[in-house]
Amino acid sequence: MSTSSPRLSRRQLLAIGGGVASGLTLAACGTGSGGGGDDPTGGGSGSGGGGTLELWANAAIAGDSDSGLQRAVLAWGEANGVTVNVQGIPTQDLVPKLTTTSSGGSGPDVAIVDVSSVPQLAAAQVLADVTDQASSVTGDFGDELLASSSYEGSLFGLPYTTNNVGLYYNRELLDGAGIAVPTTWDELRDAAIELTGGDQYGYMMGAQGQGAFLFWPWLWQNGGTILSDDLTTATFADELGQEAFAFYAGLAVGDKVAPPEFVGSNASWDQYVAPFVQGRCAMMAIGPWGTAPIVEGNPDLDWAVAPLPGGAEQASILGGATISVGHNSGQSDLAWELVNWLTASDQMPYIQDTGNIPGRRDVIDSDWASEDPDRLVFVEQMEVSRARPALPVWGDIEWGVMANMWDAVIQGQQAPADALAAAAEETNQKLSS
C-alpha cells in the first residue's frame, strides 16, 4: 500500500521562502545593493587571500561569463584574491563526471547539483558533510528544502534554488484559435491537437531524462505514486500509473502534438525550449528556468505561465539545486566561505536575474514573490509540488531506467504499457541490489 508523495502545505510554503531545477534563477529582497552585498569577503576572518577554487554546475546554471553565478563568483574572488573557475557541464553528464573524478580522489571544490542527486552524491562521498559549518545559517532556509540537501540526517549543502513545473503558453496562438488556457487533461489534449498543423505544434515534450522528469506530475495528478511507502517497490506501473502514462505517452506517439525534433531533446533544456521560443510550439511544461531563453531569444513573443492542467488532483514536481563543498577539496574552508556567501541574502539578486527562485525563507514572503504574475504561478504552485524519492539509486532510476524506457516508447520500439511495466521490474531490481 502506498501513499501520495510529500506535498507542501501553505504554512510550509511560507516557511520555505523560495521556489528547482536546473538553470535560471530569480531572487529575494536582499539587504545589499545590486548583486554582491556589502561584504564579499563574507564578513568573517576567512581563509581568503589567494588560491584557486573549481566550481562545477550544470551548463544552464553556470551560464556564460555574464551569468548571475559567474558575476557573483567574480565579485567574491576579486574581494578575496581567489580565482574561481566555473565549469558548466551538460545536465546528463554532471553526476557521472562528479562520481568518476571523486572516485579517483579529485573533483571540484564546490558543486551545484540537482536536489534529486544529493543522496547519490552524498553516499558516494562526492559531497562533503557541512552540518557543523552550516549550523549558524540553517535558520535561513525552510525545513523541506534543507531535507532536500540532506542524506541520512546530515546536511550535504545549502539550498541554492527551488522550483516546480508550470504550463508556458503562447498567447497569440491560443487566442488566434479561440482556445482558453487549458486547466484539465482533456482540455490540454484537445488544445494541443487543434494547435498542431503544418509546421506548428501544440505541446512540447522531451526525450530521455527530460521525458521521465516531466511524467511524474501526471502520475501524481492521477493519484499514483512512484514507490511504496518503504521505498522498496516501484508503484508507478500500477493501474493509476498506466492510466497516467497512457495519456502522457499518447500525446507524443498517438496524437503527435510535439515537434518531431523532440526525440533529440536530451542534452539541455535549450533544445526543449527552442520550438516554443521560435513560435512553432504553442505550449510546454517547464519550470522558471524556461523564462530566460524566451526573453533573450524572442523578446517579442507574447507568452504567459499557468498552473499545470489538473487531473484527479493538482500536482507539480518539486525541484531545485543544492550548492556544496566537494568531498575531496583540499581547500574546504575556503570553499565553504564561497558557498556561504553565495547563499546569503545580499547575493540573491545574482539568482534573481536569471529566472529561478532562491531557496531562502525571506524570498517567498517578499513583494518580489508576488509582483510578477508568471513568477506567482510557481510560488503558489509550491503548495502542491512533490519531491522525488530521496535514494542514492534515484539517478540510476530516473536518468537510466526511466530515460531508456521513455526513449523506447517515443522511438516506436515498445508499447507504452509494456515499457512502463518493464521499467517497474527493472526499478525493483535497482532497489533490491
Side-chain angles (χ1 to χ4, degrees):
M1 181 73 178
S2 59
T3 59
S4 298
S5 301
R7 286 183 281 182
L8 308 183
S9 66
R10 179 64 181 171
R11 178 187 58 79
Q12 291 169 321
L13 171 62
L14 291 173
I16 285 179
V20 124
S22 332
L24 310 169
T25 38
L26 299 167
C29 294
T31 56
S33 60
D38 297 327
D39 186 3
T41 65
S45 57
S47 54
T52 299
L53 293 177
E54 300 293 329
L55 188 158
W56 292 3
N58 71 44
I61 287 181
D64 57 23
S65 60
D66 194 42
S67 72
L69 177 62
Q70 300 269 13
R71 289 185 289 110
V73 298
L74 180 62
W76 181 85
E78 289 179 343
N80 290 276
V82 178
T83 299
V84 183
N85 296 321
V86 177
Q87 183 175 163
I89 300 168
T91 299
Q92 76 275 18
D93 297 332
L94 180 57
V95 170
K97 185 168 183 176
L98 283 167
T99 52
T100 299
T101 55
S102 182
S103 65
S106 59
D109 299 288
V110 176
I112 302 177
V113 301
D114 189 274
V115 292
S116 66
S117 64
V118 169
Q120 176 184 354
L121 296 176
Q125 295 190 321
V126 174
L127 304 179
D129 183 339
V130 296
T131 306
D132 292 340
Q133 297 96 311
S135 60
S136 64
V137 296
T138 52
D140 295 334
F141 308 92
D143 292 343
E144 290 79 11
L145 294 188
L146 289 172
S148 295
S149 297
S150 301
Y151 176 63
E152 294 189 339
S154 295
L155 192 62
F156 286 87
L158 292 177
Y160 186 66
T161 63
T162 183
N163 56 47
N164 57 79
V165 170
L167 181 72
Y168 283 65
Y169 63 95
N170 184 313
R171 279 200 190 99
E172 182 178 353
L173 293 182
L174 268 67
D175 290 350
I179 296 174
V181 179
T183 60
T184 67
W185 287 18
D186 287 343
E187 289 176 0
L188 175 68
R189 180 172 182 264
D190 291 345
I193 291 173
E194 187 168 345
L195 290 163
T196 298
D199 192 38
Q200 178 181 297
Y201 296 88
Y203 186 71
M204 185 59 185
M205 305 188 81
Q208 289 192 1
Q210 289 178 348
F213 170 80
L214 292 171
F215 166 59
W216 303 129
W218 306 109
L219 172 69
W220 293 323
Q221 287 189 6
N222 205 43
T225 55
I226 299 176
L227 302 179
S228 58
D229 289 343
D230 60 4
L231 305 180
T232 62
T233 306
T235 56
F236 58 75
D238 63 10
E239 184 177 354
L240 294 173
Q242 287 286 6
E243 188 175 67
F245 194 64
F247 169 80
Y248 180 70
L251 293 172
V253 299
D255 301 324
K256 300 186 185 301
V257 297
E261 64 263 32
F262 91 91
V263 297
S265 176
N266 52 41
S268 77
W269 286 102
D270 286 344
Q271 294 174 301
Y272 177 89
V273 175
F276 186 88
V277 173
Q278 295 160 1
R280 297 192 300 112
C281 191
M283 298 177 289
M284 64 176 180
I286 195 171
W289 63 93
T291 296
I294 302 172
V295 173
E296 295 169 4
N298 191 354
D300 295 327
L301 191 70
D302 187 8
W303 61 277
V305 181
L308 279 183
E313 51 191 287
Q314 293 295 130
S316 187
I317 186 166
L318 182 67
T322 291
I323 182 168
S324 185
V325 175
H327 184 271
N328 295 327
S329 174
Q331 303 178 90
S332 58
D333 289 342
L334 186 61
W336 168 252
E337 288 184 16
L338 176 57
V339 169
N340 192 28
W341 187 82
L342 286 173
T343 54
S345 182
D346 285 341
Q347 275 56 260
M348 292 304 96
Y350 285 122
I351 299 178
Q352 183 174 7
D353 289 347
T354 62
N356 274 327
I357 303 173
R360 292 183 57 91
R361 289 180 184 271
D362 50 9
V363 176
I364 201 72
D365 204 23
S366 68
D367 292 339
W368 169 87
S370 59
E371 66 188 10
D372 178 83
D374 297 323
R375 181 186 307 144
L376 185 60
V377 169
F378 295 111
V379 171
E380 292 184 337
Q381 204 171 228
M382 291 292 294
E383 219 171 336
V384 296
S385 295
R386 310 184 189 184
R388 290 160 284 173
L391 293 169
V393 296
W394 179 250
D396 293 336
I397 293 171
E398 185 170 64
W399 283 88
V401 175
M402 297 301 291
N404 293 335
M405 176 277 295
W406 177 241
D407 269 15
V409 170
I410 62 177
Q411 293 173 13
Q413 299 169 359
Q414 201 169 10
D418 295 339
L420 193 68
E425 292 181 8
E426 190 175 352
T427 294
N428 287 335
Q429 295 173 5
K430 295 281 187 184
L431 293 171
S432 62
S433 61

